[in-house]
């Protein structure tokens, strides 16, 4: 019973965050966790470039497979100079806010296929999906801070 209330609380929090992000970044298209997981497993499709819009400390704890880190505060778009403007880009962070801001900047810079991952890495791992540290599977995610970390199930919550 207590666990169900906690899961409902997380679900409501992510629902609220999704609505807030959509309102603040209306030009940014989102992609669901399920859609991204299916896309990544389909070799017949052009694979997206995954961009992790978290701090270096967060990225070093874990990230999605083959993700590149992009600074959420001052994204260095020159690091994407070898990426075509038509290449699909999927940006994520802890819950989706920082990644939506970066995605908006990418759209302004001329990239045409930019997606923000709904629920980002917190929801990804909460659903039991794989994350990596130094190319090795791990189950721990940086909690960002003590409050936002509550959105992670305790078994996935790293130490700050």
């Amino acid at each position: 019973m207590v666990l169900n209330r906690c899961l409902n609380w997380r679900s409501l929090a992510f629902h609220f965050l999704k609505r807030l992000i959509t309102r603040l970044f209306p030009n940014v298209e989102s992609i669901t966790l399920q859609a991204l997981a299916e896309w990544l497993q389909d070799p017949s499709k052009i694979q997206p470039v995954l961009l992790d819009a978290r701090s270096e400390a967060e990225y070093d704890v874990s990230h999605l497979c083959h993700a590149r880190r992009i600074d959420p505060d001052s994204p260095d778009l020159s690091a994407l100079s070898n990426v075509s403007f038509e290449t699909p880009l999927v940006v994520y962070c802890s819950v989706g806010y920082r990644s939506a801001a970066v995605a908006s900047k990418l759209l302004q810079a001329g990239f045409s296929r930019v997606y923000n991952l709904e629920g980002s890495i917190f929801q990804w791992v909460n659903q039991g999906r794989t994350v990596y540290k130094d190319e090795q599977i791990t189950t721990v995610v940086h909690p960002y801070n003590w409050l936002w970390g509550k959105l992670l199930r305790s078994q996935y919550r790293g130490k700050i």
Side-chain angles (χ1 to χ4, degrees):
M1 177 98 160
V2 172
L3 179 60
N4 285 340
R5 282 196 301 244
C6 290
L7 294 176
N8 289 336
W9 175 85
R10 282 189 189 98
S11 178
L12 287 172
F14 278 108
H15 177 74
F16 171 77
L17 286 166
K18 178 182 172 183
R19 290 184 57 164
L20 176 67
I21 291 164
T22 300
R23 197 169 285 152
L24 293 174
F25 302 98
N27 61 325
V28 175
E29 189 174 342
S30 63
I31 184 169
T32 65
L33 300 166
Q34 183 65 33
L36 178 60
E38 290 172 6
W39 187 357
L40 293 174
Q41 292 183 358
D42 188 346
S44 69
K45 293 185 178 179
I46 294 173
Q47 292 299 293
V49 173
L50 300 176
L51 298 173
D52 187 315
R54 298 179 300 148
S55 71
E56 192 170 347
E58 291 170 280
Y59 179 86
D60 287 345
V61 170
S62 65
H63 49 271
L64 273 58
C65 190
H66 305 299
R68 302 181 190 181
R69 195 183 86 75
I70 188 165
D71 190 315
D73 298 320
S74 54
D76 180 9
L77 300 185
S78 68
L80 298 173
S81 62
N82 63 339
V83 176
S84 162
F85 283 122
E86 292 79 34
T87 299
L89 305 173
V90 176
V91 191
Y92 70 90
C93 60
S94 295
V95 297
Y97 180 84
R98 291 177 289 174
S99 53
V102 169
S104 183
K105 289 177 184 173
L106 291 165
L107 288 167
Q108 291 169 6
F111 291 94
S112 60
R113 297 180 64 197
V114 181
Y115 307 94
N116 186 36
L117 182 59
E118 282 182 19
S120 281
I121 198 168
F122 282 13
Q123 280 288 75
W124 182 267
V125 76
N126 279 344
Q127 290 185 1
R129 299 182 192 278
T130 308
V131 291
Y132 293 81
K133 175 184 174 65
D134 302 326
E135 299 183 30
Q136 299 294 317
I137 292 174
T138 185
T139 58
V140 178
V141 173
H142 191 289
Y144 183 68
N145 65 26
W146 71 270
L147 180 61
W148 288 106
K150 301 284 186 195
L151 292 173
L152 278 168
R153 291 185 180 171
S154 61
Q155 68 263 35
Y156 304 124
R157 195 177 310 136
K159 298 190 189 300
I160 296 179

